[in-house]
């Protein structure tokens, strides 16, 4: 890139886009002054601010104290009693939302289903009683391994209704990954389907469940939804068809009056070790912040058709497909299948067909659509859109502008929302009627959120300088612990920077105080917005009989943000063949899931290590990226390895 070009890119990146006046005029929070006032008010007393937000929900019993903070453990709305399903469903039945569409679903094969709040309420009541009939009680763990069908939301809400703790496992995870999660959570019941549709073929979910449950002794029952009509084996006494089970029970199931801190769900996420962590979220605080952020970040209206494209297997699906929108009484769209099936304009077709007005997706999807060409969105009527959002990874300014111009047709503000599985809800984001957007920046922490960029000692770094992204005060939807491993919770998030929650991300702030996320600084990869641990992939690789040692790093990928690059040394006598490379790729896909399949596998005689035996990851990252190795390599044990690694470029 010439200097001139580089400078113009920089200048362009610095351009800011104020809210379109027509949008700002009617927005919930309108103009930068309004946000600043809200922000200042919340900073003076975060507890008062969140208390006000909580009063928009229906509590069976009011809380005594808004926050009890014994670092690193927070309790929000202490003494309060509340039920998430009651707030997402029953609360809307007395008003005009009673017969409003709660969920509009479209299957990959083209069928659509609409469930009104009243209808969804009934389905949830039925399934809650079905769970009870299997012996599920308050506090029991229920695993949900379903495709993107309305029943996924029904199963989650049914758990919430009776106080069972759900653990949704993404349908793309392998049987082995599912088994590990069942065991870690001690799941009593698994809810699954015969199969799900993906790119025109059936994903055989029930087979994976059978394999997983064979190694998960805590599971006493499996509920199977008939979705694809695929042949499955039904084990007598253990397996139950969803439709048979719900035919035998009443739809009336009272919502349990749960303590505000009652566990709502466990969601496994990758950390910097090989074992996934069960992030635990609880009831009151989680719902308060997901509801507040859904309403304000998406400037949600009664009349919106809101579509978040995330799978319910990820936290975005929990907070912004199911709980946030339903708590707000919104109409949420849910789509089962692949974004480009059967044609590259499937998403735009869905927006056109259902008149979607708020659309929330991942940068990796945006980049993929960008590549497919403007003719696909151009053919569709996207005039219903009024707001766009992104989540999951940093968005490159080029994709941001494409999104704004080609999808938003320059009318729609874009909200770039930063948050994590652990934070439960959006933390840093524009408010679309108030904050000027900058392509690539999530802009400002939301009111009531004390995010900062600090050095290793916890001191704020000057504007413009990179540092660690931390949160200094507790927030309502924060994770409460790691399921079954509070020591890891303390160690992972609260020990690196004294007295603060460490996010694992690096960031810097510009002169306006806007946050620019620089990406993970731990051993976590972000592939197409999905979190993967390098260690987890390494341990899968060394689980293969031919592998002696493995090191996994991320390398930049234009489409997916990052791609998995593996360096492998083989056991004596094993030949480094192309077939073995493919075998190792498949091995990882089987152990974890297709998303973890390495893009590159390189065989090497040895891995570059420091004298103390640490794998030199920075060096491997540079090799994987294809660039020359720069910087200090004086601690490298064997320089010849470096030369060999760089030569092997196939
Ligand atoms: C919601 C979600 C969390 C990690 C996080 C970041 C990255 C997420 C953004 C982002 C830049 C964003 N949960 N990340 N959102 N980076 N800009 N707007 O993605 O637990 O799966 O991942 O994702 O690194 O730490 S997650």
């Amino acid at each position: 890139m010439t200097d001139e070009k580089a400078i113009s890119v920089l200048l362009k990146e610095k351009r800011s886009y104020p809210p379109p006046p027509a949008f700002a005029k009617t927005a919930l929070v309108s103009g930068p002054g309004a946000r600043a006032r809200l922000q200042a008010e919340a900073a003076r007393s975060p507890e008062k601010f969140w208390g006000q937000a909580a009063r928009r929900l229906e509590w069976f019993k009011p809380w005594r104290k808004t926050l009890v903070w014994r670092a690193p453990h927070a309790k929000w709305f202490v003494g309060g009693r509340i039920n998430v399903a009651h707030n997402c469903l029953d609360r809307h039945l007395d008003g005009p939302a009673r017969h409003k569409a709660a969920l509009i679903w479209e299957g990959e094969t083209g069928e659509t289903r609409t469930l009104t709040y009243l209808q969804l309420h009934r389905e949830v009541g039925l399934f809650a009683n079905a769970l009870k009939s299997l012996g599920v009680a308050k506090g029991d763990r229920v695993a949900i391994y379903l495709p993107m069908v309305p029943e996924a939301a029904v199963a989650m809400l049914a758990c919430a209704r009776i106080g069972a703790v759900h653990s949704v496992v993404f349908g793309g995870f392998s049987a082995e990954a599912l088994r590990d999660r069942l065991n870690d959570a001690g799941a009593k019941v698994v809810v699954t389907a015969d199969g799900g549709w993906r790119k025109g073929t059936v994903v055989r979910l029930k087979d994976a469940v059978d394999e997983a449950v064979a190694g998960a002794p805590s599971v006493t029952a499996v509920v199977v939804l008939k979705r694809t009509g695929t042949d499955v084996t039904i084990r007598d006494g253990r397996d139950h068809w969803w439709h048979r089970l719900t035919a035998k029970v009443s739809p009336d199931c009272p919502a349990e009056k749960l303590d505000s801190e009652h566990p709502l769900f466990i969601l496994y996420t990758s950390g910097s070790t090989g074992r996934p962590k069960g992030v635990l979220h609880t009831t009151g605080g989680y719902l308060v912040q997901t509801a507040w952020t859904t309403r304000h970040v998406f400037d949600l209206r009664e009349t919106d058709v809101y579509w978040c494209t995330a799978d319910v297997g990820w936290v975005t699906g929990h907070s912004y497909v199911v709980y946030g929108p339903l708590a707000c009484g919104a109409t949420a769209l849910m789509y089962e299948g692949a974004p480009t099936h059967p044609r590259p304009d499937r998403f735009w077709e869905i927006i056109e067909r259902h008149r979607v007005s708020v659309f929330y997706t991942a940068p990796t999807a945006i980049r993929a659509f960008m590549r497919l060409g403007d003719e696909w969105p151009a053919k569709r009527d996207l005039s219903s859109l009024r707001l766009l959002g992104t989540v999951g990874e940093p968005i490159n300014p080029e994709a941001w502008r494409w999104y704004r111009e080609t999808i938003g047709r320059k009318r729609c503000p874009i909200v770039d929302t930063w948050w994590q599985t652990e934070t439960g809800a959006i933390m840093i984001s524009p408010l679309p009627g108030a904050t000027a957007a900058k392509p690539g920046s999530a802009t400002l922490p939301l009111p009531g959120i004390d995010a900062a960029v600090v050095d290793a000692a916890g001191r704020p770094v000057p504007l413009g300088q990179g540092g660690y992204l931390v949160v200094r005060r507790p927030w309502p939807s924060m994770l409460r612990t790691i399921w079954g491993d509070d020591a890891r919770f303390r160690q992972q998030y609260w020990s690196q920077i004294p007295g603060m929650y460490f996010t694992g991300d690096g960031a810097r702030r510009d002169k306006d105080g806007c946050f620019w996320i620089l990406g993970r600084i731990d051993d976590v990869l972000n592939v197409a917005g999905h979190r993967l641990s390098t260690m987890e992939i390494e341990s899968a690789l060394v689980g293969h009989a031919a592998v002696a040692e493995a090191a996994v790093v991320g390398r930049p990928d234009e489409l997916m943000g990052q791609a998995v690059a593996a360096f492998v040394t083989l056991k004596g006598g094993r030949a480094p063949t192309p077939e073995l490379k493919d075998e190792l790729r498949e091995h990882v896909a089987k152990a974890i899931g297709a998303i973890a399949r390495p893009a590159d596998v390189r065989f090497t005689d040895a891995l570059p290590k420091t004298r103390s035996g640490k794998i030199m990851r920075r060096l491997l990252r540079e090799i994987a990226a294809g660039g020359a190795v720069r910087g200090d390599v004086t601690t490298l044990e064997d320089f010849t390895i470096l030369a060999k690694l760089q030569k092997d470029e196939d």
Side-chain angles (χ1 to χ4, degrees), residues 269-272 277 391-395 416-423 425-428 440-442 451-456 458-459 461 465-471 475 492-494 496-497 500-509 515-527 529-532 562:
T269 191
S270 296
S272 46
K277 318 176 266 202
V391 61
E393 56 185 312
I395 181 163
D416 176 347
T417 62
W418 179 92
W419 59 295
Q420 310 178 292
T421 305
E422 292 87 342
T423 69
I426 298 170
M427 303 288 276
I428 304 178
S441 169
V453 181
V454 302
D455 65 16
R459 286 179 302 245
V461 300
Q465 202 171 302
Y468 304 106
L469 180 62
V470 297
V471 188
W475 63 99
Q492 192 79 49
Y493 304 107
W494 300 93
Q496 326 229 2
I497 295 155
M500 300 173 189
Y501 169 82
F502 176 46
T503 61
D505 281 352
R508 70 178 168 81
R509 297 173 67 191
F515 285 64
W516 296 75
I517 310 300
L518 303 171
R520 304 290 306 193
I521 56 174
D522 51 12
D523 294 326
V524 174
L525 305 183
N526 191 327
V527 176
H530 298 315
R531 265 169 73 168
L532 295 168
Q562 279 190 306

Side-chain angles (χ1 to χ4, degrees), residues 363-405:
T364 195
I366 296 166
R367 288 192 295 268
F369 287 123
M370 211 171 130
R371 278 198 181 178
L372 291 166
D374 293 3
E375 63 270 29
W376 295 103
K379 278 194 311 214
R380 296 291 175 181
D381 177 5
L382 304 181
S383 62
S384 58
L385 288 173
R386 60 178 205 93
L387 175 66
L388 304 173
T390 72
V391 61
E393 56 185 312
I395 181 163
N396 48 311
E398 195 198 352
W400 193 97
R401 273 190 295 272
W402 183 86
Y403 196 31
R404 178 175 172 276
E405 285 161 22

Side-chain angles (χ1 to χ4, degrees), residues 80-138:
R81 292 202 163 258
I82 187 168
N83 185 288
V84 166
H86 173 88
N87 273 277
C88 288
L89 302 167
D90 310 44
R91 186 163 60 106
H92 307 307
L93 299 185
D94 302 332
R98 182 178 176 86
H99 303 299
K100 174 182 178 173
L103 290 178
I104 300 174
W105 173 80
E106 185 165 316
E108 195 185 72
T109 43
E111 64 273 58
T112 64
R113 264 171 78 190
T114 300
L115 286 159
T116 64
Y117 274 93
L118 188 64
Q119 290 168 329
L120 185 59
H121 175 265
R122 182 188 157 87
E123 294 302 320
V124 169
L126 284 168
F127 198 66
N129 279 330
L131 287 174
K132 280 185 176 174
S133 76
L134 297 174
V136 175
K138 190 168 140 180

Side-chain angles (χ1 to χ4, degrees), residues 69-267:
W69 176 229
R70 280 193 206 92
H73 294 111
K75 289 184 179 162
W76 281 89
F77 310 109
V78 180
R81 292 202 163 258
I82 187 168
N83 185 288
V84 166
H86 173 88
N87 273 277
C88 288
L89 302 167
D90 310 44
R91 186 163 60 106
H92 307 307
L93 299 185
D94 302 332
R98 182 178 176 86
H99 303 299
K100 174 182 178 173
L103 290 178
I104 300 174
W105 173 80
E106 185 165 316
E108 195 185 72
T109 43
E111 64 273 58
T112 64
R113 264 171 78 190
T114 300
L115 286 159
T116 64
Y117 274 93
L118 188 64
Q119 290 168 329
L120 185 59
H121 175 265
R122 182 188 157 87
E123 294 302 320
V124 169
L126 284 168
F127 198 66
N129 279 330
L131 287 174
K132 280 185 176 174
S133 76
L134 297 174
V136 175
K138 190 168 140 180
D140 285 345
R141 274 80 60 212
V142 174
I144 299 174
Y145 187 66
L146 281 171
M148 279 292 281
V149 289
E151 284 78 4
V154 169
M156 291 163 75
L157 289 159
C159 288
R161 194 162 190 88
I162 63 175
V165 184
H166 62 68
S167 164
V168 182
V169 178
F170 174 54
F173 275 124
S174 67
E176 287 169 44
L178 174 62
R179 178 201 59 206
D180 292 348
R181 285 157 177 76
L182 295 176
N183 285 326
D184 189 86
K188 192 169 189 173
V189 170
V190 183
V191 184
T192 190
D194 49 359
W197 288 104
R198 191 79 193 176
K199 292 185 194 152
T201 56
V202 172
V203 183
R204 300 186 55 89
L205 294 168
K206 176 62 164 61
D207 290 355
V209 168
D210 289 339
E211 199 183 323
V213 169
S218 62
V219 175
T220 57
V222 176
V223 183
V224 190
L225 176 77
K226 208 184 212 40
R227 163 69 189 119
T228 53
T230 313
D231 265 340
V232 293
T233 42
I234 293 292
R235 258 189 49 183
D236 268 355
R238 187 197 72 179
D239 298 351
H240 310 265
W241 285 108
W242 177 302
H243 58 275
R244 296 239 176 99
L245 212 53
T246 48
K248 287 188 293 205
V249 294
S250 141
D252 302 320
C253 175
E256 287 283 328
K257 297 182 168 67
L258 299 170
D259 189 277
S260 177
E261 282 299 330
H262 186 75
L264 177 64
F265 66 84
I266 301 167
L267 184 59

